[in-house]
């Protein structure tokens, strides 16, 4: 009888271990399914969202939840204020040079800026896009505006700067004998 008790106890322990293993596998499978369903739900919600995602900032202002048209209005409203404040001062050894945004016709490119703002979290990589969007929920993301300028006027400003520099090289070519 002792032999039978030991074998039945061994069988019970083996079944108990298998039940623990099964339970652990079932819990792991359910957890993975919940994570996959949750991620898929979030991805679908984000994919069909046509507004700016939460905690996305432009000009230091949180524009989360705004539509494309509202973002254009914000750019038109704040873009001029930002440009008025843009004055670059260059300190040379003998002179001080000031370049204002009007001199080179510096402007905020509204179309490119809106594309950058609306493109945040929409790079067509589902996994990284959703990580960016989730990251933005915890830490605001500042989108820099895109600037455009008149290249001819900038070249003119650079030439004027070059002419005002003392002891500048007049002939900036060299030759080897």
């Amino acid at each position: 009888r002792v032999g039978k008790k030991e074998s039945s106890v061994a069988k019970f322990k083996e079944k108990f271990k298998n039940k623990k293993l099964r339970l652990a596998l079932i819990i792991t499978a359910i957890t993975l399914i919940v994570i996959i369903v949750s991620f898929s739900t979030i991805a679908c919600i984000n994919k069909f969202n046509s507004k700016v995602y939460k905690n996305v900032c432009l000009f230091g202002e949180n524009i989360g939840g705004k539509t494309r048209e509202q973002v254009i209005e914000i750019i038109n409203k704040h873009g001029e204020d930002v440009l008025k404040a843009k004055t670059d001062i260059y300190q040379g050894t003998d002179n001080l040079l000031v370049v204002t945004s009007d001199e080179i016709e510096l402007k905020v490119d509204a179309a490119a800026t809106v594309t950058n703002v609306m493109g945040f979290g929409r790079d067509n990589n589902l996994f990284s896009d959703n990580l960016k969007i989730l990251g933005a929920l915890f830490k605001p993301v500042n989108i820099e505006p895109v600037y455009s300028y008149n290249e001819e006027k900038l070249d003119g400003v650079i030439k004027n700067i070059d002419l005002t520099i003392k002891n500048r090289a007049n002939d900036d070519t060299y030759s080897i004998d």
Side-chain angles (χ1 to χ4, degrees):
R1 266 188 135 2
V2 175
K4 282 190 172 184
K5 277 189 177 181
E6 287 179 16
S7 67
S8 64
V9 170
K11 285 181 183 179
F12 178 75
K13 284 184 178 180
E14 187 176 306
K15 285 182 181 179
F16 186 72
K17 285 182 183 177
N18 286 338
K19 284 183 182 179
K20 277 187 173 180
L21 180 62
R22 259 192 246 140
L23 183 62
L25 288 174
I26 290 171
I27 290 173
T28 303
I30 290 172
T31 304
L32 286 174
I33 290 171
V34 168
I35 289 171
I36 290 170
V37 169
S38 299
F39 186 78
S40 299
T41 303
I42 291 170
C44 287
I45 290 170
N46 287 336
K47 184 71 173 170
F48 296 112
N49 183 4
S50 63
K51 295 182 179 181
V52 177
Y53 295 118
K54 292 181 182 180
N55 269 351
V56 174
C57 301
L58 180 67
F59 302 122
E61 177 183 337
N62 188 342
I63 57 170
K66 305 279 187 203
T67 63
R68 178 179 287 274
E69 291 75 23
Q70 290 171 322
V71 173
I72 291 172
E73 289 175 15
I74 290 169
I75 291 170
N76 292 336
K77 178 181 171 188
H78 293 292
E80 294 297 321
D81 298 336
V82 169
L83 292 177
K84 286 179 186 172
K86 281 219 174 284
T87 300
D88 293 324
I89 300 173
Y90 301 97
Q91 176 72 47
T93 54
D94 297 326
N95 52 0
L96 180 69
L97 305 166
V98 177
V99 179
T100 63
S101 58
D102 292 336
E103 288 181 75
I104 59 172
E105 295 178 2
L106 182 67
K107 295 179 180 166
V108 175
D109 187 345
T113 302
V114 168
T115 300
N116 286 351
V117 168
M118 299 306 290
F120 174 78
R122 294 179 173 96
D123 296 330
N124 295 326
N125 183 336
L126 188 66
F127 187 72
S128 67
D129 286 349
N130 283 296
L131 287 178
K132 283 181 188 178
I133 295 165
L134 289 173
L137 293 176
F138 300 104
K139 183 180 177 192
V141 175
N142 189 33
I143 306 293
E144 290 295 323
V146 178
Y147 296 103
S148 64
Y149 55 89
N150 185 326
E151 289 186 28
E152 291 175 2
K153 289 195 174 189
L154 179 62
D155 289 340
V157 168
I158 291 172
K159 283 182 185 177
N160 288 337
I161 291 172
D162 186 40
L163 292 173
T164 61
I165 297 174
K166 292 183 180 179
N167 298 325
R168 66 183 177 90
N170 288 327
D171 184 14
D172 57 354
T173 61
Y174 61 92
S175 63
I176 300 175
D177 293 329

